[in-house]
């Protein structure tokens, strides 16, 4: 059955090392959130998705993803994980060049973070009794090379704290999904492709990745997944 996604909450700068590589500092007193549209998130084990237009710097960000099956307001940290239906490993795909431009102009991140297939997730897995999503390795390999590596214990805000904090800002509901932030090592998911020379019809490239999150000794996902074949196509006069 398909999980009925209601809203997508994303936590920014939740790993100090990633915040540093982006030139930012972490504010432990105030978590930073942004949203993705529910129809821009895909739950699937493998498949092919298009690289979006208007970017020459398309980045991967691996994250632990949590899906809620019940909500509420003012949820206590101690009760927060009882609201989790399942976990997935996800990729917060980012048009980094558009994001940097938005930062420079002090504008919102919508065009860099919220677009078709910008949230790629494995199938959801049941948390199991006593699951603790606050420790365990989180890794991403690109073309067989380890690109991102961290530990859930390095999160500035734990998932339980995030759920409790969000429930103070919104009334959470079943179907809400949370991307919990990415460790350091973010980088391009596809090589830069220059605008084709005159007369050239198309150029393509592909990126192959494997992503995994370890939770209580078992793997949520350990396959070539998310974007096993993402083709970047550009035609003369613009991207399509």
């Amino acid at each position: 059955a398909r999980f009925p996604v209601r809203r997508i909450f994303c936590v920014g700068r939740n790993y100090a090392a990633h915040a540093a590589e982006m030139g930012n500092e972490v504010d432990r007193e105030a978590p930073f959130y942004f949203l993705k549209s529910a129809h821009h998130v895909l739950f699937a084990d493998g498949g092919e998705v298009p690289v979006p237009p208007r970017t020459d710097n398309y980045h991967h960000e691996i994250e632990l993803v949590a899906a809620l099956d019940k909500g509420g307001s003012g949820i206590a940290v101690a009760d927060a994980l009882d609201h989790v239906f399942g976990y997935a490993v996800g990729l917060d795909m980012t048009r980094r060049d558009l994001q940097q431009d938005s930062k420079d102009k002090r504008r919102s991140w919508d065009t860099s973070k919220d677009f078709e297939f910008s949230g790629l997730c494995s199938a959801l897995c049941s948390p199991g009794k006593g699951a603790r999503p606050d420790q365990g390795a989180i890794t991403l390999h690109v073309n067989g090379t380890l690109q991102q590596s961290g530990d859930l214990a390095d999160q500035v805000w734990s998932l339980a704290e995030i759920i409790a904090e969000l429930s103070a800002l919104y009334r959470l509901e079943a179907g809400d999904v949370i991307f919990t932030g990415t460790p350091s090592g973010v980088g391009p998911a596809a090589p830069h492709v220059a605008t084709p020379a005159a007369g050239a019809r198309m150029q393509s490239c592909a990126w192959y990745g494997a992503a995994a999150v370890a939770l209580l000794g078992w793997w949520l996902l350990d396959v070539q997944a998310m974007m096993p074949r993402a083709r970047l196509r550009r035609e003369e006069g613009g991207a399509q």
Side-chain angles (χ1 to χ4, degrees), residues 138-209:
I138 176 170
T139 60
L140 174 71
H141 288 75
V142 177
N143 292 330
T145 300
L146 181 65
Q147 186 68 34
Q148 288 189 258
S149 180
D151 195 288
L152 299 176
D154 297 333
Q155 291 184 331
V156 178
W157 291 78
S158 69
L159 175 59
E161 291 173 323
I162 291 166
I163 293 172
E165 172 68 12
L166 280 172
S167 75
L169 295 169
Y170 305 88
R171 177 174 179 80
L172 297 180
E173 301 287 352
D176 287 342
V177 173
I178 302 171
F179 280 66
T180 61
T182 191
S184 61
V186 300
H192 172 78
V193 176
T195 303
R201 287 290 302 165
M202 187 179 295
Q203 292 187 8
S204 299
C205 62
W207 169 74
Y208 299 85

Side-chain angles (χ1 to χ4, degrees), residues 108-158:
S108 72
W109 294 1
D110 290 356
T111 58
S112 63
K113 289 287 192 177
D114 188 14
F115 51 87
E116 291 83 356
F117 305 110
S118 60
L120 303 175
C121 299
S122 69
L124 288 166
C125 295
S126 171
K129 186 177 181 180
R132 291 183 52 198
D134 57 2
Q135 60 186 24
I138 176 170
T139 60
L140 174 71
H141 288 75
V142 177
N143 292 330
T145 300
L146 181 65
Q147 186 68 34
Q148 288 189 258
S149 180
D151 195 288
L152 299 176
D154 297 333
Q155 291 184 331
V156 178
W157 291 78
S158 69

Side-chain angles (χ1 to χ4, degrees), residues 3-234:
F3 184 79
V5 177
R6 184 173 183 270
R7 290 176 295 189
I8 309 292
F9 296 101
C10 303
V11 185
R13 304 170 189 170
N14 201 28
Y15 290 79
H18 170 60
E21 73 179 351
M22 293 288 101
N24 302 305
E25 295 182 358
V26 171
D27 183 355
R28 181 62 175 83
E29 299 303 316
F32 172 72
Y33 302 110
F34 58 92
L35 302 178
K36 289 182 183 288
S37 303
H39 56 281
H40 288 168
V41 174
L42 174 68
F43 284 90
D45 278 330
E48 183 174 317
V49 297
V51 172
R54 298 288 295 274
T55 183
D56 290 318
N57 198 16
Y58 186 47
H59 274 211
H60 56 72
E61 297 188 5
I62 185 176
E63 311 201 9
L64 173 68
V65 176
L68 307 186
D69 62 353
K70 60 181 179 179
S73 299
I75 299 170
V77 172
D79 300 327
L81 297 185
D82 294 337
H83 294 68
V84 176
F85 168 77
Y87 296 107
V89 61
L91 291 174
D92 170 16
M93 304 306 297
T94 303
R95 293 192 272 208
R96 190 71 71 200
D97 40 4
L98 299 191
Q99 184 189 36
Q100 188 58 57
D101 184 61
S102 295
K103 287 181 178 180
D104 293 342
K105 296 176 181 177
R106 302 179 69 84
R107 295 176 178 174
S108 72
W109 294 1
D110 290 356
T111 58
S112 63
K113 289 287 192 177
D114 188 14
F115 51 87
E116 291 83 356
F117 305 110
S118 60
L120 303 175
C121 299
S122 69
L124 288 166
C125 295
S126 171
K129 186 177 181 180
R132 291 183 52 198
D134 57 2
Q135 60 186 24
I138 176 170
T139 60
L140 174 71
H141 288 75
V142 177
N143 292 330
T145 300
L146 181 65
Q147 186 68 34
Q148 288 189 258
S149 180
D151 195 288
L152 299 176
D154 297 333
Q155 291 184 331
V156 178
W157 291 78
S158 69
L159 175 59
E161 291 173 323
I162 291 166
I163 293 172
E165 172 68 12
L166 280 172
S167 75
L169 295 169
Y170 305 88
R171 177 174 179 80
L172 297 180
E173 301 287 352
D176 287 342
V177 173
I178 302 171
F179 280 66
T180 61
T182 191
S184 61
V186 300
H192 172 78
V193 176
T195 303
R201 287 290 302 165
M202 187 179 295
Q203 292 187 8
S204 299
C205 62
W207 169 74
Y208 299 85
V213 176
L215 190 59
L216 291 180
W218 49 272
W219 296 100
L220 288 180
L221 181 68
D222 188 12
V223 294
Q224 284 205 338
M226 308 305 146
M227 285 174 50
R229 286 180 295 174
R231 293 191 178 91
L232 178 64
R233 297 184 178 92
R234 295 185 183 278

